[in-house]
Amino acid sequence: MKQPAVARKYALALFRAARSHDALDAVAADLDAIRELLRTDPRFARVLAVPDIPAGEKRAFVGRVLSGRVGPLVVEFADLLLAKGRFGVLDAAADRYRALLEQERGIVRAQAVTAVKLTDAERVKLVEKLQIVTGRKVLMSESVDPAVLGGVLVTVGDRIIDGSVRSAWRDLRESLLAAPLTA
């Protein structure tokens, strides 16, 4: 089984457990805390990466480190990942958990690419339009790519909304090339 599929299964199980404990937000914050710990504490990450350390010792170490920092549900989740030799999927599982949480709350993520940075007013207007189109609350991230030339290219999930000048010029070029020439 591929790692993303395994991460999805673990994330779904954790999500269901968190929902039954009314702890969806707490678990999301705890997963973020573990990810931050892995990024900022080289000793913690190193202990988990060393294959010579028996799984039982790793589990005890992680239990000690995480106790008091994160809730018991996430401590148990980390322990389960270690026991199954799947701690490497934690990051992907945390991403999937966040996606499940956003889906539960009617939130969708969008990526807007523009030729120049959006003004605050443009950003607000674009988010409002996307919320109307999707029927969901939109969390939008932005990037600038001069190749867009003008307008905006938005990705929402697997949907692409291309309102770029580059695309309009391409469409115009194709229609002109396809038009019959008459004298």
Side-chain angles (χ1 to χ4, degrees):
M1 191 180 299
K2 291 182 179 179
Q3 188 167 335
V6 170
R8 280 194 300 273
K9 287 184 178 192
Y10 279 106
L12 183 57
L14 179 60
F15 185 80
R16 288 177 176 159
R19 185 190 294 144
S20 72
H21 286 87
D22 194 28
L24 291 172
D25 290 324
V27 167
D30 289 348
L31 289 171
D32 289 343
I34 292 176
R35 292 166 100 175
E36 183 63 22
L37 183 63
L38 285 166
R39 276 192 294 276
T40 60
D41 188 341
R43 185 179 61 120
F44 182 68
R46 193 172 33 251
V47 167
L48 294 174
V50 175
D52 295 340
I53 299 175
E57 287 182 34
K58 286 182 183 181
R59 290 171 68 189
F61 171 75
V62 168
R64 284 190 310 272
V65 170
L66 295 182
S67 277
R69 288 185 183 194
V70 299
L73 197 56
V74 175
V75 172
E76 289 176 32
F77 180 69
D79 185 62
L80 175 66
L81 291 177
L82 284 166
K84 299 289 185 181
R86 299 283 193 183
F87 200 82
V89 304
L90 179 99
D91 205 42
D95 285 342
R96 183 65 188 138
Y97 180 91
R98 180 69 63 181
L100 288 166
L101 181 60
E102 289 172 357
Q103 182 180 1
E104 172 95 355
R105 301 233 165 101
I107 297 170
V108 66
R109 290 194 176 265
Q111 170 65 38
V113 182
T114 56
V116 295
K117 187 171 171 48
L118 292 173
T119 65
D120 290 340
E122 291 168 332
R123 183 177 304 105
V124 168
K125 189 172 182 177
L126 180 57
V127 167
E128 287 173 353
K129 284 185 178 185
L130 290 172
Q131 288 178 162
I132 291 168
V133 168
T134 64
R136 299 169 79 184
K137 180 178 183 198
V138 173
L139 295 179
M140 189 176 74
S141 57
E142 303 169 47
S143 61
V144 173
D145 181 358
V148 173
L149 300 179
V152 63
L153 179 65
V154 179
T155 305
V156 181
D158 60 355
R159 187 173 172 192
I160 297 173
I161 304 166
D162 192 345
S164 67
V165 170
R166 180 185 194 109
S167 173
W169 282 357
R170 182 186 63 235
D171 293 346
L172 177 62
R173 180 180 183 271
E174 288 174 8
S175 67
L176 289 172
L177 290 173
L181 293 176
T182 58

